[in-house]
Structures are given as C-alpha cells and as structure tokens.
Amino acid sequence: MPYCVRTIYNAVIVKPPHYRYGLLGKQLAALEEREGGIDQFTRAYETFGVQRRHDNSLVFFEWAPAAEALFLAGDFNGWDKFSHRYTKQPFGKWELVIPAKADGSPGLEHGSKLKVVVHTENGERLYRISPWAKYVTQQENARVYDWVHWDPPEPYTPVHKRPDKPRSLRIYECHVGIASPEGKVASYSNFTANVLPRIKDLGYNCIQMMAVMEHAYYASFGYQITSFFAASSRYGTPEDLKRLIDAAHALGIVVLLDMVHSHASKNTEDGLNRFDGSDSCFFHAPPRGQHSLWDSRLFNYSSWEVLRFLLSNLRWWMEEYRFDGFRFDGITSMLYHHHGIAVGFSGDYSEYFGLQVDEDSLVYLMLANHILHTLYPTCITIAEDVSGMPALCRGVEEGGLGFDYRLAMAVPDKWIQILKEFKDEDWDIGNIIHTLINRRYGEKCIAYSESHDQALVGDKTLAFWLMDKEMYTNMSSLVPMTAVIDRGIQLHKMIRLLTHALGGEGYLNFIGNEFGHPEWLDFPREGNNQSYHYARRQFDLLEAAKHLRYVQLYAFDRHMNLTEDAYGWLAAPPAYVSTKHEEDKVIVFERAKVVFIFNFHPTRSYQDYTVAVEVSGKYTIKLDSDDVQFGGHGRLDHHTEFFTKPQDFNGRSNVMQVKGVLLYQFLI
C-alpha cells in the first residue's frame, strides 16, 4: 500500500501505511474505555427515542445540548405543551417517564401522534420530531410529517434466515414507489407480491433498495433524509417492509439498503436540522456544515453523540429490518473537505492523502465497516465514490476503509458518452476496454451500464438512447425490425453483457432496464404538474403485450444472469483480453474458462475468425445474442463444435477458428 502523503506549502509529510489504522485504533480504544465496547455503543436505539419497559411505562430520551427545556405533546395529553416536561441529564441528555395506565396498559397507545417541544435559550418554542422516531407520516396536503408512536401489539416476526453471502453479486437496484405501471406511489406489499418473483426469475441474487429511509420530498429520490430510523410510510408500514425482506430471504435474495450518511435534509420541523435550536447539534456549524450544491446539512463526525447516532442507525436497520448490508451514498463528499465540488481527480496520490482529506469522515467510514463486518460477518458494503480513493475496498487493518465493493462509476458515463458523441464505425474499442478494466487490483467493483442516475430527467435510459422515438411504434415482433430497432436491440444486449463480464466483480441493473425500459425517470413535482407518468415502471409492456420485443430483452437478461450463475465469471480473477481490434471492431477475452467474442462492427461479419484461447479442447456456444428468442436473427448453428490447435497467438497458447462472427453479435 502506498505511503500517506500530506502536502503543506512546499513540504511533504510522508506517513506510514498504518497511520489511518492508528486513527481507527484510537477511536476503538476510546469506545472501549467510555462505553464498554462497540456492542453497547451501537445499540443506542434501545435507549433513545421512546422505549417501553416491562411494566409498560414509557421512557423518552433525547440529546439536545443547546435546549433550555424539553416537553412532550401529543394526542395522549390533548397537545398540552407544558404538562409533560423532560428532566435534564448530564451531557445534554433529557429524560421523561410516562407510567403505565391504571389497567397496566402502556401509557401511550400504538399510533399516537407526538411532538417534542423544544424551548431554546433565545426564547423560541420549536416543535420537533425525535431524531430516533421509528415511524412518521404525512397527512394529505400537510406541509410537515407527524411523529407516530409505533408499537404494534403483534409485530411481524421473520420466518426465514438470512441467505448466504453470494460469491457473484448480481444486484437489482430498485425503488418501491415506482415499481408499478400505475401512476401512483406503489407499496411494499405490491413489491413483495409482484416484483420479488420477477427479480428471482431474472437471476438476480441481491436487491438494493433506494429511498427507504424517510424523506419529506419524494422527488429527492430518497437522498434528502429527514428521519433516519423510520422506514418511509409512503409505501406502507414498518411491518410491511419487514415482510418484504423476509420474503426476499425466502427466495435466497440478499437485501441492501441505500444508506445516506453523507448529509441530511435541512428541514427543521420534520428533520434533524436545528433540533435543539442551534445551527449545529448533529452537524458542523455553517459554513462547514452546509453542502453548497445539495442544499443540505453535513454531519459532525468528530462528535461522540453523532457517532452514536449514525453507528446505531446502521445497527438498527440490520437488527430491526434484517437488511444484509448497505450501499453508502455520496462517499466522495464525505472523504474530502472540498466534497468533490469543482475538483477533478487524476489518480495522483497527493489527491487522496493531503490536507484536503476529512479524517473525521474517513475514520467514521472505517469504524462503520469495522463494526458491521465484526458484528455481521456476511454484511455487504458498497461505496459510491467518484474520486478513486486508494484502498477504499481493502481491510481496515491494511489502512483501507473496509468496503467490500465500489461502484465502477466511469463505466455508465462512458457508454452514454459513446452513444451521444460517436457513430458506430468510430467507436474506440481500446478506450472501451480500458474503461472496463481500469480498476485498482484487489479492490472489487460493481459494474453497470446504467443505473438510476442515467435515467433521471435530463437524460434517458440506454434503450431510449439507442432507439428513441421508434420505441413507441416499432417494437412489435409481428412486423420486420427497422434498422434503428435492430441496431438498438443488438447493442443493448452486447453493452450489458460486455459490462457484466469485463467490468467488475459484481453487476448492477436498475429496475425495468433489464427489458429496455423506454424514456426516463421523473418524480412528481411542480415542474411537471405533479405527474406520476414517468415515476413508474411499465411492466405491462412485458405482460399485456407478449409480441413486443421487450420480452426478448427480458429473456436475454435472464439468460445472461443464469449463464453467469453457472460459470461464475464475476467471482473469477479479471479477464485476459486477447483481441481488441480497432478495424474489425472485435473483442475477445477469457474469464472463468469462458471465451467471450464480440463483434461491434456495424456492417461486417467474419468467417473463420482466429480466436486466441489458453485452455485447449472443444468449445461450444452457450449464449448467443443472435438467438431468435433474444431478438436476434438465428444465423448460428448452436450444435457447432470448435476445436483448438496449439499455436501461440495474442499471448495465448492455443487458437481456434470461429465461423460466423456476425455484426452486432457476441457469443460465448
């Protein structure tokens, strides 16, 4: 591992590789000394917020260091702002006990609405939601959310154990609210009944759930969190989400949560901002505590109570809902004081180990990964980082940050750039290959050709880039394909398989894109008259019209995943690329003892094409993009056998002649 370099004016301070691990060690030692270790410290959700004791009395506990007084108001006391006062405790803590009723039942009924009334030193009276609230709801046409006491008499009890950690991670990125063809917010129950079976059929073994943590603004795509411990009530109840995850586990599918600890909504009445009346509390005071582009607040990761809050938040989702891991959003913003704003990264180590690195945030991420992997050995963590931070996916004991995977974010950007800027005959094959294999050795990547980012309004899906308006009129298999549709369908399959096989150690697909979802994604907002037209997934294109070619793209995506499941190339070492021929537009590589052959040439097919392979013997076709069931033309005989002969060629020990390397086609 490289030495850590810090630049001060013209001086360079070089720190040994164990420097970052030393920072983590100090934090762990402090946790052991002050809190008795990581287990108790990360269970603060069992103390803060509201807790029901064995005698059915209720204890309310908050951290509000700048407050002068705290009161509790709600349905239970007729919204009396002064009748139930918290008692001040050391270190800015506040406590209130509500005894059980005379009949022994809880002092507060399940479903009661509540507010914390905060009195500040400036004489303000503020109405707040507890940062530890487990359920919040919004009345129709209301401006803010309500804190709802969630203590159901019959909570959902999981039945199925967590699945084993997949060796090959095939991720289905999804959003519950858009997971229906109907123009409305879809539900957890709909997802459980109608989407989970589809994901299983497609061969994905992991779902990554977006926008689950409660967010007041639906169009934020779930990235402006207001209540960190609450599952979004838009889609149903906490018990509905628990049932969904349990059903996924029954199908052998692991479930990841899109975790947003990089920032928080600036909302005050239903968010964390100014909870105790101060401009800091959970955040750095301005300007450090404000993100200029996201218009949101930034956590103070050096604060002991903020660490308690965030680490307990991770534990809560693992324990209460039985998620299997997290995709950490916005890591670049956390790692650097400049938050990646107007900064380009060249890969020079001075960009990653200088004073611009926010060591408090860095140590928090190391601490989070260490705790998660210690307490939950099968936990999966994925980092969204555009900077290329070295050792992001190496163990903390090596001075790394401890993530299992990082997103290969350059790959989808490359595909969109190619489709926007280049004619087919001008594609730079070498540049495509470089983008797909350019990753740090020993650090696993999740490859994808498109995610939710590429589908957002202002852009469009890969299929729509390829076929655009012809998708509205020419997707029927009952009539011959137009040139645009033919090209689009073939390239859609090839781009996805090339990314799948060459781009990383895991693969991700965004909901609906497996069948070439048209258009783009846009949530209801003032700018579109609150329309849900583009905030849905048109699964009816598959189900109501079997003659549409979306069915063929779906079938290909399914076979692609099932073929990977059989051969395991995602879990195999990186591929050996033997051919990247610019004039022929042909790519050949081997991975997991499978030979991949792609012809991206728009007008040429090849007979008896010489292919280099390392393993001698007989080869047969296992997946062919020209198969009729995948929207191809069926020009290859799948019973053909290909035999090698010894010959050094393109760095391999054997060659074989492949008949029928067709334009816009690949075979393995």
Side-chain angles (χ1 to χ4, degrees):
M1 177 182 170
Y3 279 67
C4 302
V5 179
R6 294 183 125 201
T7 304
I8 303 176
Y9 301 112
N10 293 323
V12 177
I13 298 175
V14 181
K15 297 194 174 183
H18 60 262
Y19 170 66
R20 290 181 172 181
Y21 184 60
L23 295 177
L24 173 65
K26 290 178 182 178
Q27 196 70 282
L28 290 171
L31 279 173
E32 191 67 38
E33 180 182 349
R34 296 189 203 176
E35 304 285 345
I38 61 176
D39 183 60
Q40 190 60 36
F41 187 68
T42 57
R43 289 185 180 273
Y45 52 83
E46 296 177 348
T47 303
F48 285 79
V50 55
Q51 309 296 329
R52 178 162 56 86
R53 292 172 171 170
H54 294 300
D55 63 358
N56 278 339
S57 63
L58 298 170
V59 181
F60 293 79
F61 200 69
E62 301 294 348
W63 177 62
E68 283 291 304
L70 258 63
F71 297 87
L72 186 69
D75 294 337
F76 76 103
N77 65 1
W79 294 98
D80 190 316
K81 298 182 287 292
F82 301 103
S83 63
H84 288 73
R85 181 171 186 148
Y86 286 73
T87 302
K88 192 168 186 177
Q89 306 292 318
F91 307 110
K93 313 287 177 56
W94 300 83
E95 184 181 65
L96 167 67
V97 178
I98 297 180
K101 295 179 180 178
D103 62 1
S105 61
L108 222 65
E109 293 183 2
H110 166 65
S112 299
K113 292 183 179 179
L114 302 165
K115 288 283 187 182
V116 178
V117 185
V118 179
H119 289 235
T120 73
E121 60 182 11
N122 297 326
E124 294 177 287
R125 184 187 301 153
L126 309 173
Y127 295 88
R128 297 289 186 256
I129 289 176
S130 170
W132 304 81
K134 299 176 177 65
Y135 190 55
V136 296
T137 61
Q138 186 180 40
Q139 297 278 353
E140 188 174 355
N141 299 321
R143 188 173 62 87
V144 298
Y145 275 73
D146 295 309
W147 174 19
V148 177
H149 177 51
W150 191 259
D151 188 17
E154 296 182 5
Y156 182 78
T157 302
V159 177
H160 306 282
K161 71 179 185 67
R162 297 179 190 268
D164 295 333
K165 187 175 182 177
R167 290 184 66 250
S168 295
L169 200 61
R170 301 183 297 274
I171 303 172
Y172 195 84
E173 183 187 32
C174 55
H175 185 295
V176 170
I178 69 171
S180 164
E182 299 180 61
K184 64 178 185 179
V185 178
S187 66
Y188 295 124
S189 298
N190 165 74
F191 196 94
T192 304
N194 299 315
V195 184
L196 280 181
R198 187 188 309 277
I199 296 171
K200 177 66 175 178
D201 179 64
L202 281 163
Y204 291 95
N205 54 21
C206 174
I207 59 176
Q208 178 182 300
M209 299 187 70
M210 308 175 61
V212 169
M213 301 167 75
E214 191 60 270
H215 48 292
Y217 185 41
Y218 188 45
S220 74
F221 222 140
Y223 292 119
Q224 292 276 345
I225 306 300
T226 45
S227 291
F228 282 75
F229 286 81
S232 181
S233 59
R234 284 184 182 86
Y235 323 126
T237 69
E239 311 313 301
D240 293 335
L241 176 57
K242 293 174 188 176
R243 190 173 291 106
L244 185 162
I245 294 171
D246 197 31
H249 287 168
L251 295 172
I253 298 171
V254 298
V255 187
L256 308 183
L257 175 65
D258 211 342
M259 176 56 61
V260 187
H261 279 183
S262 50
H263 66 132
S265 167
K266 70 175 185 180
N267 288 17
T268 54
E269 291 188 57
D270 52 10
L272 294 182
N273 192 20
R274 299 191 71 240
F275 173 68
D276 64 353
S278 72
D279 61 2
S280 50
C281 195
F282 288 93
F283 311 108
H284 287 292
R288 185 178 178 185
Q290 294 176 322
H291 197 291
S292 59
L293 289 185
W294 296 344
D295 194 25
S296 55
R297 298 304 311 272
L298 299 174
F299 287 106
N300 179 2
Y301 303 101
S302 65
S303 165
W304 196 256
E305 293 303 326
V306 172
L307 287 179
R308 189 194 309 275
F309 179 81
L310 294 176
L311 293 171
S312 295
N313 188 233
L314 297 173
R315 190 89 186 267
W316 164 258
W317 292 104
M318 293 291 290
E319 291 283 344
E320 184 71 11
Y321 289 95
R322 300 175 71 243
F323 278 95
D324 302 292
F326 305 100
R327 176 248 194 207
F328 282 76
D329 179 70
I331 294 300
T332 307
S333 175
M334 297 176 69
L335 289 174
Y336 308 96
H337 291 295
H338 53 61
H339 309 301
I341 299 172
V343 174
F345 292 91
S346 67
D348 189 280
Y349 283 121
S350 64
E351 297 167 349
Y352 307 114
F353 300 104
L355 291 177
Q356 67 272 30
V357 174
D358 187 332
E359 290 183 349
D360 294 333
S361 302
L362 182 141
V363 172
Y364 165 69
L365 292 171
M366 295 177 72
L367 191 61
N369 275 302
H370 171 73
I371 289 172
L372 286 170
H373 290 113
T374 298
L375 297 175
Y376 311 99
T378 61
C379 179
I380 299 168
T381 59
I382 301 172
E384 185 209 33
D385 170 47
V386 299
S387 75
M389 169 64 78
L392 188 70
C393 300
R394 299 299 298 178
V396 295
E397 68 281 357
E398 299 177 2
L401 274 71
F403 286 98
D404 295 296
Y405 298 89
R406 70 196 312 156
L407 294 176
M409 301 182 72
V411 174
D413 291 344
K414 175 57 65 177
W415 286 124
I416 294 299
Q417 179 200 15
I418 289 171
L419 296 179
K420 283 182 178 179
E421 300 178 7
F422 296 98
K423 298 177 181 179
D424 294 359
E425 58 268 26
D426 295 331
W427 284 22
D428 186 334
I429 296 299
N431 184 253
I432 292 171
I433 296 299
H434 172 75
T435 302
L436 287 166
I437 66 175
N438 182 28
R439 52 189 184 271
R440 297 187 184 280
Y441 183 78
E443 297 193 49
K444 294 188 287 187
C445 289
I446 302 294
Y448 55 106
S449 54
E450 55 182 334
S451 70
H452 68 273
D453 286 326
Q454 285 68 44
L456 288 173
V457 63
D459 213 321
K460 48 191 176 183
T461 65
L462 197 63
F464 215 57
W465 274 112
L466 287 164
M467 295 175 277
D468 206 69
K469 62 184 180 182
E470 288 211 17
M471 296 188 78
Y472 296 127
T473 56
N474 295 320
M475 287 295 281
S476 173
S477 61
L478 302 179
V479 297
M481 281 190 285
T482 65
V484 169
I485 296 297
D486 193 3
R487 169 187 178 270
I489 284 180
Q490 312 317 325
L491 285 179
H492 190 271
K493 294 178 291 186
M494 294 175 66
I495 287 170
R496 293 168 70 82
L497 190 278
L498 182 59
T499 303
H500 199 307
L502 194 58
E505 290 70 37
Y507 177 75
L508 179 144
N509 165 71
F510 180 63
I511 180 172
N513 290 347
E514 67 275 5
F515 63 84
H517 202 285
E519 301 174 325
W520 53 86
L521 191 62
D522 189 14
F523 283 84
R525 53 189 174 84
E526 289 185 7
N528 64 13
N529 295 318
Q530 303 298 330
S531 171
Y532 285 87
H533 181 74
Y534 296 108
R536 60 196 179 105
R537 296 287 88 179
Q538 299 179 53
F539 293 123
D540 51 337
L541 293 174
L542 293 171
E543 296 156 357
K546 298 291 187 182
H547 66 281
L548 295 181
R549 296 192 183 276
Y550 300 103
V551 176
Q552 298 168 342
L553 293 176
Y554 179 100
F556 174 77
D557 199 81
R558 179 176 182 272
H559 280 78
M560 177 175 68
N561 283 322
L562 295 180
T563 306
E564 195 288 325
D565 189 56
Y567 293 96
W569 59 71
L570 289 172
Y576 183 90
V577 181
S578 59
T579 300
K580 44 183 176 181
H581 201 291
E582 293 295 343
E583 184 178 349
D584 293 349
K585 303 300 180 193
V586 170
I587 299 169
V588 180
F589 61 89
E590 297 161 87
R591 193 174 184 188
K593 298 183 179 180
V594 177
V595 180
F596 296 80
I597 306 170
F598 293 78
N599 178 16
F600 280 98
H601 204 287
T603 59
R604 290 186 198 164
S605 297
Y606 304 100
Q607 292 292 327
D608 297 322
Y609 202 87
T610 303
V611 172
V613 296
E614 185 61 30
V615 179
S616 62
K618 179 181 71 175
Y619 287 77
T620 57
I621 298 172
K622 297 299 181 182
L623 184 63
D624 172 18
S625 67
D626 198 47
D627 196 316
V628 173
Q629 66 171 321
F630 305 144
H633 300 281
R635 292 167 290 188
L636 291 183
D637 180 0
H638 289 181
H639 295 99
T640 303
E641 297 177 339
F642 305 93
F643 294 91
T644 65
K645 63 179 180 180
Q647 180 181 329
D648 290 337
F649 182 65
N650 287 354
R652 311 313 270 165
S653 303
N654 298 279
V655 297
M656 61 181 176
Q657 302 299 120
V658 177
K659 297 182 179 180
V661 181
L662 308 171
L663 58 95
Y664 288 139
Q665 188 231 17
F666 73 84
L667 57 105
I668 64 175

